Amino acid sequence: MKQKIKQILTEVQQVVAKNNEELELFRIQYLSKKGIITELFNDFKNVANEEKREVGQLLNELKNATQQRINDLKESFASQQVDAVKSDLTRTAEPIKLGTRHPLSLTKNRIIDIFARIGFTIAEGPEIEDDWHVFGALNFPPEHPARDMQDTFFIEQNPDVLLRTHTSSVQSHVMTHQKPPIRMLFPGRVYRNEAISYRAHCFFHQVEGLYIDKNVSFADLKQALMYFAKEMFGEHTQIRLRPSYFPFTEPSAEMDISCNICGGKGCPFCKHTGWVEILGCGMVDPNVLENCGIDSKVYTGYAFGMGVERITNLKYQVKDLRMFSENDVRFLQQFQSAE
Ligand code: PHE
């Protein structure tokens, strides 16, 4: 027995382990309930009485030495790790929590991405505007209700300083300052004097599209919008254009897509029609082209404008518009993994 203990002691002192897993195996082999050393303690009762003292001492020494060996090895791993960390100067100081993109930004970027692939570039215009760029150039008659205080925010009672009610105002700026061909997107925030509820807000976001060139037709508009709908909502998505009216387009239409919540079968979101409206569009009215100095006999074009909130609602199934501007991190963090 004494011989055996001494032999194990040398064994233990020579043990090496490359990592914590190997070390744990070593501990199990020697010190666990069925380990070699524990078995020796069990055999202790068979040791002759006159030897008990000496063997007992040796056994305790062996156990302590084994534990010590384990501790030493463990410590050497820890210090190796510290060395590794010390030497990597590019490593961030602490695990840094990543922020998240706002769902409206995700949607806006996605829209921009999709149209960039068919040649659309980006421009932005001012949010504080004058009557001409928001209404006048866009063929709004003088008595149009949008010019009323009820619908539009005016700044300091001045009827010529107002918050834009749509991104179509950027059309007026761009067409006045650039020569066709123009193929651009205008993303931005717009303001309307509306009571805030789950489905309306006094500010929201739009992305406007404008394409002016020779021989642009309604078929081009429809093709671009169909491409967009399928890229945004999936290959199976269908579109439908309904005749509508805007002062700055003629003919005008509103576009619906097949409801991507129920797949067109009918649900509360699409009011059981199977369709949801996502944008307004049409051929740019010749009066608008002329107002901006573009020869309407040479050029034609199409325009469209979509609500970013509406598309985000559909894409992420957010039912209450107010969530987008309340900055509740519990809501915003849900978009952690998105793009
Ligand atoms: N400006 C319109 C709106 O805000 C949308 C639109 C844009 C319609 C371009 C036609 C062409 O509702």
Side-chain angles (χ1 to χ4, degrees):
M1 179 100 171
K2 276 191 269 179
Q3 203 48 43
K4 202 168 168 191
I5 294 173
K6 280 183 187 150
Q7 190 196 329
I8 295 173
L9 184 62
T10 26
E11 226 173 86
V12 162
Q13 275 159 349
Q14 282 162 9
V15 159
V16 282
K18 282 200 283 301
N19 50 35
N20 277 320
E21 286 82 58
E22 281 189 22
L23 189 59
E24 178 60 7
L25 287 179
F26 165 52
R27 190 194 64 78
I28 291 170
Q29 191 187 355
Y30 288 91
L31 290 179
S32 68
K33 266 194 192 147
K34 295 221 169 92
I36 297 172
I37 296 175
T38 321
E39 299 273 323
L40 285 177
F41 271 95
N42 292 341
D43 288 345
F44 185 66
K45 55 183 179 295
N46 304 326
V47 174
N49 273 347
E50 60 275 18
E51 280 194 274
K52 270 211 158 84
R53 206 180 124 96
E54 202 185 342
V55 172
Q57 230 166 26
L58 280 175
L59 264 180
N60 279 328
E61 262 169 41
L62 174 63
K63 191 174 171 189
N64 292 340
T66 311
Q67 193 57 56
Q68 189 58 45
R69 182 80 190 141
I70 291 176
N71 292 348
D72 289 350
L73 285 170
K74 208 177 253 175
E75 224 163 81
S76 77
F77 295 152
S79 66
Q80 270 168 22
Q81 260 167 17
V82 170
D83 284 350
V85 170
K86 262 191 210 151
S87 60
D88 181 4
L89 298 177
T90 61
R91 187 177 172 274
T92 41
E94 288 295 329
I96 290 178
K97 247 185 147 184
L98 286 180
T100 59
R101 284 213 192 283
H102 193 282
L104 293 179
S105 302
L106 291 173
T107 306
K108 183 190 73 180
N109 292 343
R110 197 119 191 226
I111 297 169
I112 291 173
D113 247 31
I114 293 172
F115 281 103
R117 274 181 255 148
I118 52 170
F120 281 77
T121 54
I122 295 179
E124 283 180 358
E127 292 181 12
I128 301 174
E129 271 289 8
D130 51 33
D131 181 284
W132 175 252
H133 288 97
V134 181
F135 303 125
L138 296 173
N139 207 30
F140 280 76
E143 70 285 1
H144 195 283
R147 285 193 159 105
D148 200 287
M149 296 274 283
Q150 295 292 304
D151 295 298
T152 300
F153 290 114
F154 291 88
I155 293 177
E156 291 172 4
Q157 309 287 308
N158 184 341
D160 206 30
V161 187
L162 51 98
L163 295 177
R164 67 179 177 195
T165 57
H166 54 182
T167 42
S168 303
S169 57
V170 193
Q171 285 191 39
S172 333
H173 286 282
V174 168
M175 285 194 278
T176 311
H177 294 107
Q178 289 188 34
K179 288 196 170 57
I182 297 168
R183 199 192 319 231
M184 293 184 109
L185 288 184
F186 316 129
R189 182 177 282 187
V190 301
Y191 302 82
R192 288 185 196 174
N193 194 0
E194 306 230 21
I196 296 171
S197 74
Y198 76 98
R199 55 197 302 255
H201 211 293
C202 59
F203 63 78
F204 56 98
H205 300 79
Q206 292 186 326
V207 175
E208 186 94 3
L210 178 69
Y211 179 32
I212 312 281
D213 204 347
K214 290 176 183 155
N215 301 319
V216 178
S217 73
F218 201 96
D220 296 325
L221 169 63
K222 191 172 171 188
Q223 186 58 46
L225 293 179
M226 189 148 84
Y227 155 76
F228 166 72
K230 288 184 187 288
E231 289 293 307
M232 190 76 195
F233 296 105
E235 194 47 41
H236 55 278
T237 309
Q238 295 192 306
I239 65 166
R240 151 175 115 167
L241 288 161
R242 281 179 291 101
S244 183
Y245 172 77
F246 300 102
F248 39 95
T249 47
E250 179 59 34
S252 305
E254 278 169 319
M255 184 174 96
D256 299 340
I257 59 159
S258 50
C259 178
N260 82 324
I261 291 176
C262 64
K265 285 193 209 73
C267 69
F269 192 86
C270 59
K271 301 203 189 79
H272 301 281
T273 61
W275 296 95
V276 272
E277 185 201 318
I278 62 163
L279 57 82
C281 60
M283 300 307 291
V284 179
D285 193 294
N287 288 343
V288 175
L289 294 173
E290 296 293 337
N291 284 342
C292 299
I294 292 177
D295 187 346
S296 64
K297 292 195 191 63
V298 181
Y299 292 103
T300 52
Y302 66 66
F304 56 83
M306 60 184 93
V308 179
E309 276 78 356
R310 171 41 78 89
I311 292 175
T312 313
N313 279 341
L314 275 169
K315 192 100 191 124
Y316 298 110
Q317 316 199 346
V318 178
K319 298 214 176 62
D320 190 333
L321 271 184
R322 290 169 295 196
M323 301 295 282
F324 293 132
S325 48
E326 278 170 354
N327 282 338
D328 184 334
V329 285
R330 291 168 302 176
F331 169 70
L332 297 172
Q333 272 171 351
Q334 295 178 68
F335 299 90
Q336 195 108 38
S337 59
E339 279 153 71

